[in-house]
Amino acid sequence: MSAALIKKSQWYWNRLSCMTPPELVHRVHNTLYAQLQKSGLFLDKDVPNAEITNKACVWLNMPDALSSDYCKSADLILSGYLSIFECSHIYVGHPPVWNKNPRSEHLSPLTFGKTLDYRNEALVGDIKYLWEPSRHLHLVTIAQAYAVSGDDKYLEAIKVQLSSWFEQCPYMMGVHWSSSLELGIRLINWSVVWQLIGGTESTLFSGSSGKTFLHDWLASIYQHTRFITGHYSRFSSANNHLMGEASGVFVAALTWPYWKDNEPLIESAQKIIEQEVENQIAPDGGDREQTTSYQQFVLQFLLICGVAANKTGYKFSENYWRTIERMIEFIAAMMDREGNVPMIGDADDGYVVRLSQEPQWNPYRSLLGIGSILFDRDDFASMGGQVDDQCRWLIDREKYASAANKTMLTWIKSSKRFGRVQRDLEITSFPDSGYYIMTHRSGMTNEVKVIIDCGPLGYQGIAAHGHADALSLVLNYGGLEFLVDPGTYAYHTKKKWREYFRGTSAHNTVRVDGVSQSVSGGNFMWTHKAEADCSQWESGDSKDIFTGQHNGYQRLDDPVTHIRTITFNKVANRIDVVDRLECNKEHRVDLFWNFDEHCIVEKNTRMSTTTKEGVSTSAYIASNQDRKIGISINGKNVITSLHRGEELPPLGWVSRQYGKKVPSSTLKCSGTITGTTEIKTLILL
């Protein structure tokens, strides 16, 4: 048996071990259903005539003033250039070859989409680079350029791009008909484009060729929605994918109400979204996938659906809007004064739709800006929530600001929970999500923010997007990042790097016997999950104290419990971290401190000492622009070493973009312990 076949068999075994019996039955059913569709059964090839006289929902706002130069951005696209993840202005052509990977130049086969192995790098390259252009976010930019300029060349460009997509990506064939989430996002972007060009009244649909184009587009919309409803993600895959799939169907059915069975689609999609809000979002507002990037991704789905529903009779519940506000509160608490949000968990630079083209656009600040208007929250605005172009396209500010407004948000005005005093309180703990925030001098130039991760590994049985980061912390000082979560870098490819960036050594915590706290079963799967728990949390004006522990190393022959206590003395400007390893026998332990890539880290030889008993104190100075911190490690037989940009094994890296990594400094503190031992770290600001 070949190594590749063994590897694939192991993946399937691990995946099966994470399934419940009902999920197993569901998977078998889906596999059989896909095979029947492949043979030509249960397909929506015959699209009913569209009743385009039905009144459609126009949910996009048409703002008077905009910040971005959409024509300049659109002209670059018309020249054949797109920015895809770390590839800034990569040439793809106009129109692109949609089934050609723009980075690796793999030409993916035009076989039946649901049975195509998009995880096979040899077949398609990194699938993310194929899927991203076909989400059609860039078509929105072209449509925005048309809306602000009235230049017909942008209309024609949309027709060229979409016509080529319909031709090259026929119904059910190829990688663009393999993932329901991709179809859901594509539908939302098509909805935006449709509204910007004027819907059925657009001159794009005039003449015989225009009517043919309209027929082809509506047929694909119909097939997209029916494909998704037949292939919703369920059970352990029912994470942000299911949210995005249902959102795509909901928005599409409102935008194109041209078929008789639209009403049931809207109702079922809305029911799924409401249910998944309860399932996927913790009561404190944190996304249960334990990733800050997907926090904003899911929020975009929810806001777009809410705004679209507000233009119709399909109102979402009070709990739905409360959850959106709590999600924005969560972002506000995690953000420092300069808009930095830690890169906790997986991130793939994904956006539902890109309505803003401003340089240095910040998706988290943008959401705060939207929240400041929707919920009348001055504190969101003061956190840097700008009224950017995304906000202008989505929200009619005057309408939502009006006290006489009778919309879905009327209940906010009288809800006691949203009283002014409640709004001004700084939230420092999210116990449902497992995050604890030590903060001092918030919003000031010398602000300190420490975020501690004591939550679950991830969501559902496979915890797909979680990282082995129990009891890790990040530290921002004066709006600059010092101790960081270094990001993600890769998803489906680059196995070594995928494992490193989501492994324990890439996080500011302790590793035992050279293995991560949780056991990976594949790129998006964990077969053994560390469970973390907070036993102490005290937050005050002069001092914050946290104590937590996890059981990830209880699986070792000699079980080890890691207990971490963090004390932030705000008067003395010092943070004390005590890592206690409770065990009976000998173990190799490594404590990692991962620094921002801009930090210069140097050993302070004057402050580094070793006693006769073997207890050493190793001191370092880390500088980032005009800020410095001192960090010293005290422990018996502990040896410290600095690492930067190392590959075997990987250590000392930060990834701010999908597909891009840069060297950074990692301080590694290693030693052999016998029995219960403490390692102490002192951080001086």
Side-chain angles (χ1 to χ4, degrees):
M1 187 181 290
S2 68
L5 188 56
I6 293 173
K7 179 181 176 183
K8 192 171 184 177
S9 299
Q10 183 63 50
W11 183 90
Y12 277 112
W13 174 254
N14 289 337
R15 191 67 183 87
L16 285 169
S17 68
C18 295
M19 294 183 189
T20 61
E23 178 172 5
L24 187 57
V25 172
H26 170 75
R27 299 287 178 183
V28 171
H29 170 270
N30 277 6
T31 301
L32 292 174
Y33 183 57
Q35 290 298 328
L36 290 171
Q37 286 190 309
K38 187 176 182 180
S39 68
L41 299 173
F42 306 113
L43 296 177
D44 289 299
K45 287 184 178 179
D46 298 325
V47 178
N49 290 330
E51 299 292 337
I52 61 175
T53 56
N54 294 347
K55 186 177 180 181
C57 167
V58 178
W59 51 266
L60 199 67
N61 185 46
M62 299 300 290
D64 295 327
L66 292 165
S67 305
S68 304
D69 187 344
Y70 293 101
C71 293
K72 181 178 179 181
S73 299
D75 288 342
L76 198 60
I77 298 168
L78 269 58
S79 298
Y81 291 92
L82 290 181
S83 291
I84 306 172
F85 305 130
E86 89 288 4
C87 300
S88 179
H89 303 147
I90 186 172
Y91 185 77
V92 298
H94 173 57
V97 178
W98 297 102
N99 291 300
K100 184 179 180 180
N101 192 310
R103 192 168 190 240
S104 65
E105 299 194 347
H106 284 82
L107 187 63
S108 63
L110 205 61
T111 56
F112 190 72
K114 288 305 294 182
T115 57
L116 193 156
D117 185 7
Y118 61 78
R119 298 181 182 89
N120 186 340
E121 185 178 2
L123 190 67
V124 301
D126 186 336
I127 188 61
K128 292 290 294 177
Y129 292 86
L130 266 167
W131 279 344
E132 188 67 20
S134 274
R135 289 182 169 185
H136 289 173
L137 277 73
H138 67 283
L139 295 192
V140 169
T141 303
I142 300 174
Q144 287 174 308
Y146 170 72
V148 299
S149 72
D151 193 331
D152 285 344
K153 75 175 183 179
Y154 299 119
L155 267 185
E156 183 60 28
I158 291 169
K159 184 177 180 181
V160 167
Q161 293 258 335
L162 283 174
S163 295
S164 68
W165 194 93
F166 301 146
E167 180 182 355
Q168 296 176 34
C169 310
Y171 176 52
M172 298 297 284
M173 303 301 289
V175 294
H176 302 305
W177 291 92
S178 57
S179 167
S180 294
L181 174 63
E182 300 307 310
L183 276 72
I185 295 173
R186 192 153 55 242
L187 282 172
I188 292 173
N189 282 281
W190 284 359
S191 173
V192 174
V193 172
W194 181 269
Q195 295 170 72
L196 289 171
I197 66 173
T200 56
E201 302 302 314
S202 174
T203 57
L204 195 58
F205 306 129
S206 61
S208 59
S209 65
K211 287 182 173 60
T212 299
F213 173 62
L214 173 61
H215 174 271
D216 292 344
W217 195 359
L218 290 176
S220 191
I221 290 163
Y222 181 90
Q223 290 166 338
H224 270 63
T225 55
R226 276 65 185 176
F227 178 100
I228 295 171
T229 55
H231 298 282
Y232 273 131
S233 297
R234 300 293 188 186
F235 295 97
S236 58
S237 296
N239 48 18
N240 68 85
H241 282 234
L242 180 55
M243 193 82 82
E245 293 156 8
S247 297
V249 171
F250 182 78
V251 169
L254 289 177
T255 306
W256 299 283
Y258 304 145
W259 297 279
K260 292 180 180 178
D261 58 348
N262 259 34
E263 192 77 19
L265 288 183
I266 295 172
E267 292 175 357
S268 62
Q270 183 175 16
K271 185 177 179 180
I272 290 171
I273 295 166
E274 288 271 17
Q275 184 59 57
E276 291 310 306
V277 163
E278 292 190 21
N279 292 344
Q280 296 189 36
I281 310 303
D284 57 22
D287 187 289
R288 285 198 167 107
E289 292 196 80
Q290 307 300 127
T291 148
T292 49
S293 178
Y294 283 87
Q295 180 92 11
Q296 65 84 22
F297 186 58
V298 169
L299 248 176
Q300 268 200 314
F301 284 125
L302 299 183
L303 283 167
I304 288 169
C305 288
V307 168
N310 186 44
K311 299 296 180 70
T312 67
Y314 299 95
K315 307 297 184 185
F316 281 95
S317 68
E318 180 176 321
N319 178 66
Y320 182 89
W321 290 102
R322 286 180 183 273
T323 300
I324 287 178
E325 183 170 22
R326 284 193 290 265
M327 292 179 76
I328 299 174
E329 286 176 342
F330 181 91
I331 288 173
M334 301 290 272
M335 181 186 290
D336 75 4
R337 66 184 303 274
E338 294 299 327
N340 298 306
V341 174
M343 300 181 292
I344 297 170
D346 270 350
D348 65 352
D349 301 351
Y351 303 113
V352 179
V353 62
R354 181 70 186 264
L355 292 167
S356 280
Q357 295 292 324
E358 297 100 316
Q360 308 303 316
W361 179 72
N362 185 316
Y364 300 101
R365 278 187 159 165
S366 180
L367 290 167
L368 284 171
I370 292 172
S372 70
I373 296 172
L374 280 181
F375 302 104
D376 193 22
R377 294 285 296 259
D378 292 340
D379 52 346
F380 287 167
S382 68
M383 282 292 295
Q386 306 167 21
V387 178
D388 62 2
D389 279 0
Q390 174 171 252
C391 185
R392 294 183 181 99
W393 286 107
L394 287 178
I395 307 297
D396 183 339
R397 182 170 187 168
E398 293 303 319
K399 180 177 181 180
Y400 283 98
S402 172
N405 181 29
K406 302 296 183 183
T407 69
M408 78 244 171
L409 300 177
T410 302
W411 58 269
I412 292 174
K413 304 299 181 183
S414 59
S415 175
K416 293 181 180 179
R417 181 188 177 282
F418 297 98
R420 179 58 57 187
V421 174
Q422 190 87 335
R423 291 175 178 178
D424 290 340
L425 291 176
E426 185 171 46
I427 304 174
T428 58
S429 68
F430 294 84
D432 302 306
S433 303
Y435 298 103
Y436 298 85
I437 303 171
M438 297 177 168
T439 185
H440 188 40
R441 300 185 294 264
S442 290
M444 300 174 67
T445 56
N446 55 352
E447 173 191 76
V448 180
K449 181 159 287 194
V450 179
I451 300 173
I452 305 159
D453 188 337
C454 190
L457 176 64
Y459 182 57
Q460 300 279 39
I462 57 176
H465 290 298
H467 288 188
D469 53 7
L471 305 186
S472 180
L473 66 85
V474 299
L475 167 64
N476 292 11
Y477 178 33
L480 298 171
E481 296 178 280
F482 276 86
L483 297 173
V484 300
D485 186 314
T488 300
Y489 180 56
Y491 265 16
H492 298 278
T493 61
K494 303 179 181 70
K495 177 177 173 56
K496 177 182 77 172
W497 295 105
R498 174 65 172 156
E499 292 303 310
Y500 167 67
F501 275 97
R502 67 183 192 141
T504 299
S505 63
H507 299 88
N508 301 315
T509 187
V510 174
R511 183 180 68 183
V512 179
D513 291 343
V515 295
S516 283
Q517 303 158 344
S518 297
V519 180
S520 171
N523 285 338
F524 297 95
M525 181 176 15
W526 297 92
T527 55
H528 185 279
K529 297 177 273 295
E531 297 174 342
D533 178 61
C534 173
S535 57
Q536 180 185 20
W537 171 248
E538 299 176 18
S539 182
D541 293 336
S542 60
K543 183 183 292 187
D544 293 339
I545 303 175
F546 164 88
T547 300
Q549 54 277 322
H550 75 82
N551 64 1
Y553 294 116
Q554 289 291 308
R555 71 183 193 271
L556 301 178
D557 291 339
D558 176 49
V560 179
T561 299
H562 177 201
I563 303 171
R564 169 169 276 189
T565 297
I566 304 170
T567 305
F568 178 22
N569 187 322
K570 301 176 184 180
V571 177
N573 255 1
R574 62 180 282 165
I575 301 164
D576 289 275
V577 183
V578 178
D579 289 300
R580 180 179 176 87
L581 290 308
E582 294 186 348
C583 55
N584 295 316
K585 299 180 181 179
E586 185 175 283
H587 294 274
R588 174 76 176 181
V589 298
D590 302 296
L591 167 62
F592 299 94
W593 296 111
N594 296 280
F595 291 89
D596 174 85
E597 66 270 30
H598 299 102
C599 285
I600 298 172
V601 186
E602 299 174 308
K603 189 166 187 178
N604 186 340
T605 53
R606 293 188 302 106
M607 300 296 293
S608 300
T609 61
T610 303
T611 67
K612 293 180 180 180
E613 293 77 19
V615 178
S616 61
T617 299
S618 299
Y620 293 81
I621 299 292
S623 305
N624 191 349
Q625 296 185 34
D626 61 341
R627 298 286 175 184
K628 292 184 179 182
I629 68 169
I631 182 167
S632 61
I633 293 87
N634 178 278
K636 189 173 183 179
N637 300 322
V638 172
I639 299 173
T640 62
S641 53
L642 273 176
H643 304 262
R644 186 175 181 85
E646 297 178 6
E647 299 204 9
L648 292 173
L651 197 60
W653 297 92
V654 165
S655 174
R656 300 279 177 187
Q657 285 180 286
Y658 184 87
K660 181 180 181 179
K661 65 184 190 305
V662 297
S664 63
S665 295
T666 294
L667 176 58
K668 181 181 179 182
C669 319
S670 303
T672 300
I673 66 170
T674 303
T676 297
T677 303
E678 288 186 349
I679 302 173
K680 299 179 181 179
T681 302
L682 168 63
I683 301 170
L684 291 174
L685 306 172

